[in-house]
Every structure is written in structure tokens, then in C-alpha cells.
Amino acid sequence: MVTLFRVISYLEGVSYVLLLFATAIKYFLNNEYWVQVLGMPHGILFLIYVFIAIFLGFRFNWEGKKLTIILFASVIPLGTIYVDFKYFN
């Protein structure tokens, strides 16, 4: 399950950055296509990341601070990749 979480964390982090670029394209070039294409996959990856993080937090009895940092990292661009290096290497 930890390996799956690591893969999801990379994918979620990259999809978040891509979605931010897509949002910039939407407003600067008036083109919503990439936001529509990337929005749903990012949302699904975000939810999977959160659910697996909570599951692993209970399974491995993480302290509240660690779980909070791991969950908060999902709203920071590339924060999930930082979490992977800090806690899973």
C-alpha cells in the first residue's frame, strides 16, 4: 500500500502543477480545454491521495502532526513529492 501511495503522490503532485498551468492558459489565452481535460483526473488523484494517507495514518499509527503535514502537502504544488522524499525514503 505504501508503494501505491508513493505512485499516487507523484501523480497527484504533477497533475496539480499541470492543472495550475492549465488555469493560467484558461485566463491568459481564453482557452478552457486543458482545465476540462486535467480537472477530473487531478480531482480523482487528490481524493485517492487523501484516502490512502488517512488509511496509512491509522494503519501505521502516525502521530497527528505527521498526518496533518502529509494531508496539507496535497494543497501545495509539488508538496506531495516533498512528502514522499521526507517520509518514505
Side-chain angles (χ1 to χ4, degrees):
M1 187 64 102
V2 172
T3 303
L4 174 64
F5 183 68
R6 293 184 73 190
V7 170
I8 295 295
S9 70
Y10 278 113
L11 293 174
E12 198 276 335
V14 170
S15 73
Y16 189 26
V17 170
L18 291 174
L19 186 59
L20 290 175
F21 282 122
T23 303
I25 290 170
K26 174 184 174 182
Y27 289 109
F28 290 120
L29 301 178
N30 201 21
N31 183 350
E32 292 187 16
Y33 176 75
W34 291 108
V35 173
Q36 294 171 350
V37 169
L38 296 171
M40 181 66 75
H42 169 70
I44 291 169
L45 288 168
F46 173 78
L47 290 174
I48 293 170
Y49 177 88
V50 169
F51 287 133
I52 293 176
I54 292 171
F55 173 78
L56 290 176
F58 284 113
R59 182 171 183 201
F60 294 115
N61 202 19
W62 291 341
E63 62 184 41
K65 180 181 177 182
K66 182 177 180 178
L67 182 57
T68 302
I69 290 170
I70 290 171
L71 291 173
F72 184 69
S74 66
V75 297
I76 298 172
L78 300 177
T80 57
I81 295 172
Y82 165 78
V83 163
D84 179 59
F85 284 118
K86 180 165 173 81
Y87 293 110
F88 297 102
N89 274 335

